[in-house]
Amino acid sequence: MKYYRKIIGKRIYLSPINLEDAETYVGWLNDFKVTDGVGSSSRLLSLETEKEWIKNNLNTYNFAIIRSEDDTLIGNCGINEINQLMQCAVVGIFIGEEENRGKGYGQEALRLLLDYGFDYLNLNNIMLKVFSFNDRAISCYKKIGFKEIGRRRQSYYLKGRFYDEVFMDILKEERDSIAAK
């Protein structure tokens, strides 16, 4: 697979998404270990549906997360719901395989995504949503500088329980002050 080093970090880089990766994404997006955390476990995803989604999003700010040492696809992230007038957007991220989680790849990818959003898309406020049970993700987001700004209580039903949807955001000036430390 050919990837392009659009946004380069220390251990990973972000590349435009590839249609050829559709089968890998379908595998991940039909795995409850991934979909429980992104809120899409009840969704059925076929290869054709994913190919269509990729085709429709090739020219958007959705990126493949690639491990630099071996050019392996390990996840996906993106900047969505961009409002240029208000200078705000929403980010999303997931790491596909369990073996690549908890190693800092997601944190690095999110930092790269924030840099791109603040420095190239002229954004001032970037928000994300996470479910209250996802302690590992919440910890990651706090380390980067995201702050909780609210909750939609008991809005996500999973495996017989309700969970809150947690809204977090970061401002450009907050990212700049964290980067300076």
Side-chain angles (χ1 to χ4, degrees):
M1 187 63 51
K2 178 68 174 162
Y3 297 108
Y4 300 95
R5 295 175 182 262
K6 178 70 178 175
I7 307 169
I8 303 168
K10 289 184 174 106
R11 300 182 307 141
I12 59 143
Y13 62 92
L14 306 183
S15 173
I17 55 176
N18 280 318
L19 186 59
E20 293 82 17
D21 288 328
E23 194 166 336
T24 301
Y25 286 128
V26 169
W28 290 338
L29 295 172
N30 278 301
D31 179 353
F32 290 124
K33 291 180 184 114
V34 174
T35 59
D36 286 354
V38 297
S40 62
S41 291
S42 63
R43 185 172 167 229
L44 298 175
L45 183 67
S46 70
L47 183 57
E48 287 308 311
T49 303
E50 184 63 10
K51 283 182 180 178
E52 192 63 33
W53 186 90
I54 291 172
K55 285 178 192 174
N56 291 332
N57 286 278
L58 286 174
N59 295 315
T60 62
Y61 300 106
N62 287 288
F63 299 95
I65 303 170
I66 310 299
R67 192 172 46 220
S68 297
E69 70 182 50
D70 56 7
D71 291 319
T72 297
L73 173 68
I74 62 169
N76 183 283
C77 62
I79 304 174
N80 302 291
E81 299 178 42
I82 297 171
N83 182 324
Q84 290 295 167
L85 183 62
M86 305 286 278
Q87 293 180 279
C88 60
V90 177
V91 293
I93 185 169
F94 73 85
I95 302 297
E97 301 292 337
E98 182 64 39
E99 68 193 39
N100 291 313
R101 295 185 204 130
K103 295 186 175 180
Y105 294 131
Q107 190 175 125
E108 185 175 348
L110 196 49
R111 286 183 192 276
L112 293 173
L113 205 56
L114 291 176
D115 289 346
Y116 188 74
F118 290 135
D119 298 339
Y120 291 95
L121 300 181
N122 197 32
L123 298 171
N124 183 57
N125 175 293
I126 297 178
M127 184 181 87
L128 58 77
K129 300 174 226 174
V130 61
F131 299 113
S132 58
F133 65 82
N134 198 341
D135 295 327
R136 183 162 56 183
I138 291 169
S139 174
C140 169
Y141 303 149
K142 285 181 178 178
K143 285 178 190 171
I144 293 170
F146 279 86
K147 294 176 175 42
E148 183 174 328
I149 57 171
R151 287 176 178 250
R152 187 172 185 184
R153 297 174 303 143
Q154 297 185 12
S155 61
Y156 182 50
Y157 185 76
L158 179 68
K159 299 179 187 173
R161 290 192 55 202
F162 283 99
Y163 298 94
D164 295 352
E165 188 173 21
V166 180
F167 294 84
M168 302 177 81
D169 75 354
I170 187 169
L171 301 176
K172 183 180 189 309
E173 66 189 35
E174 292 168 338
R175 181 283 313 250
D176 291 344
S177 69
I178 292 167
K181 291 180 180 177

